[in-house]
Amino acid sequence: MTTSPRHELQGRERELERLEVSLARVVAGRGECLFVLGELGVGTTALADRAAALAQAHGLTVLRGRAWPLGGGVAYGPILAAVGGLLRTLD
């Protein structure tokens, strides 16, 4: 699988390799679900953006939700946000 240059996400080689393997499985017809977790400022948004761009480049649907610090969100909020976005497109 060809990806864009990795220099934008230095230090994320392991995560990018895992992402590429997962995307290859999905393109081959296997289901996958990826979660990107991490502290603020460590590049989780950049990694999630890369994952979404690669998946969309393969014609895959991408669902995204965002978690908030403890006490700042609804239980299952990220999952509800991701699925809710998909459901709104089905109207």
Side-chain angles (χ1 to χ4, degrees):
M1 179 180 312
T2 304
T3 62
S4 55
R6 293 178 178 228
H7 68 274
E8 299 168 18
L9 295 172
Q10 290 184 356
R12 293 291 190 159
E13 290 79 14
R14 185 180 65 195
E15 291 87 349
L16 289 170
E17 184 174 321
R18 173 86 188 264
L19 168 63
E20 291 171 0
V21 168
S22 292
L23 286 174
R25 288 181 187 147
V26 171
V27 170
R30 294 185 58 193
E32 292 275 326
C33 180
L34 300 175
F35 292 90
V36 177
L37 308 171
E39 298 294 324
L40 293 173
V42 298
T44 53
T45 299
L47 185 60
D49 288 344
R50 173 68 64 84
L54 289 172
Q56 289 169 332
H58 283 86
L60 302 172
T61 300
V62 175
L63 304 179
R64 291 180 76 162
R66 180 175 292 262
W68 304 104
L70 290 176
V74 176
Y76 304 105
I79 295 169
L80 294 172
V83 173
L86 175 65
L87 293 176
R88 284 189 291 279
T89 67
L90 300 177
D91 288 334

